[in-house]
């Protein structure tokens, strides 16, 4: 008796709509974990399955929002600066963690740092509608705290316990610089 085996579909064989929906669901799941940084370790394992689509979209949105508030002759400069700072900053924080003996892949760390920009993106969007500096300061500081808490929780588990502070401090500076750009823009 001959058994019929179902063909195994790879992502190459699936329709584009299914691929896009799968990726969008994956990005949504990761954003949900960033928005609740108190998630359990088993949930944080999903963040280890890295992708760069979500961080790219978040970085582009942040760059667009901040450049839209810039003077007309500086919009391209602001866009490029934000884009550059987010990606190079995430790379430098990642290299620091790896050099400290962290058990983390480069793209995994860049992915987590990129997703954790989401609260700052929301803050920059909210700040578009009200130009009060005190309001900007409060909203951005809350988002900074949220972003830092979400990423530090993940980064802390990736480096040896005696080097946590050395790995977490650059994360703090990374998000502080992005928050500063939101406040002054």
């Amino acid at each position: 008796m001959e058994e019929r085996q179902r063909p195994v579909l790879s992502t190459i064989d699936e329709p584009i709509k299914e691929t896009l929906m799968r990726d969008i669901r994956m990005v949504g799941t990761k954003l949900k974990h960033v928005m609740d940084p108190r998630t359990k370790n088993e949930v944080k394992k999903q963040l280890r399955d890295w992708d760069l689509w979500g961080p790219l979209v978040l970085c582009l949105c942040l760059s667009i929002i901040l450049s839209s508030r810039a003077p007309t002759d500086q919009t391209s400069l602001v866009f490029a600066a934000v884009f550059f700072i987010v990606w190079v900053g995430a790379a430098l924080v990642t290299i620091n963690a790896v050099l400290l003996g962290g058990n983390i892949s480069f793209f995994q760390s860049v992915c987590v740092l990129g997703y954790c920009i989401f609260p700052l993106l929301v803050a920059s969007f909210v700040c578009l509608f009200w130009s009060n500096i005190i309001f900007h300061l409060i909203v951005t500081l809350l988002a900074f705290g949220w972003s830092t808490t979400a990423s530090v929780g993940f980064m802390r588990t990736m480096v040896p316990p005696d080097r946590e502070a050395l790995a977490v401090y650059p994360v703090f500076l990374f998000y502080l610089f992005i928050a500063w750009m939101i406040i002054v823009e």
Side-chain angles (χ1 to χ4, degrees):
M1 188 161 107
E2 186 178 313
E3 288 185 37
R4 298 190 95 193
Q5 293 182 348
R6 290 179 38 191
V8 177
L9 293 177
S10 69
T11 56
I12 290 284
D13 298 333
E14 74 182 359
I16 293 173
K17 182 180 177 183
E18 285 182 36
T19 304
L20 289 175
M21 291 310 295
R22 179 178 38 83
D23 288 346
I24 289 170
R25 281 191 297 275
M26 183 175 55
V27 167
T29 301
K30 290 178 182 175
L31 284 176
K32 185 172 64 172
H33 297 313
V34 167
M35 294 310 290
D36 185 11
R38 301 167 294 155
T39 55
K40 307 231 181 322
N41 283 340
E42 65 212 29
V43 175
K44 287 183 182 176
K45 288 180 183 175
Q46 290 180 345
L47 288 174
R48 292 182 183 171
D49 183 21
W50 62 269
D51 72 283
L52 297 177
W53 286 112
L56 176 64
V57 169
L58 295 175
C59 178
L60 285 172
C61 289
L62 183 64
S63 298
I64 290 169
I65 289 172
L66 292 180
S67 67
S68 72
R69 294 185 350 197
T72 309
D73 61 331
Q74 295 180 355
T75 54
S76 352
L77 178 64
V78 171
F79 181 90
V82 172
F83 194 84
F84 179 81
I85 288 166
V86 167
W87 288 105
V88 171
L92 290 174
V93 169
T94 300
I95 291 169
N96 179 60
V98 169
L99 291 175
L100 289 172
N103 184 18
I104 189 168
S105 79
F106 181 81
F107 291 116
Q108 178 185 19
S109 176
V110 169
C111 172
V112 170
L113 292 167
Y115 274 109
C116 290
I117 288 175
F118 184 66
L120 289 166
L121 172 65
V122 171
S124 68
F125 182 73
V126 169
C127 289
L128 278 175
F129 301 107
W130 198 15
S131 61
N132 183 335
I133 188 68
I134 302 298
F135 177 75
H136 283 218
L137 191 62
I138 292 169
V139 169
T140 305
L141 287 177
L142 287 172
F144 162 73
W146 204 326
S147 292
T148 304
T149 302
S151 61
V152 163
F154 182 82
M155 293 296 276
R156 194 177 268 162
T157 62
M158 295 295 143
V159 295
D162 61 329
R163 297 182 178 178
E164 279 180 14
L166 293 172
V168 168
Y169 183 66
V171 173
F172 173 82
L173 290 177
F174 174 63
Y175 291 117
L176 183 66
F177 192 72
I178 295 171
W180 173 78
M181 286 191 303
I182 293 169
I183 291 170
V184 299
E185 195 53 47

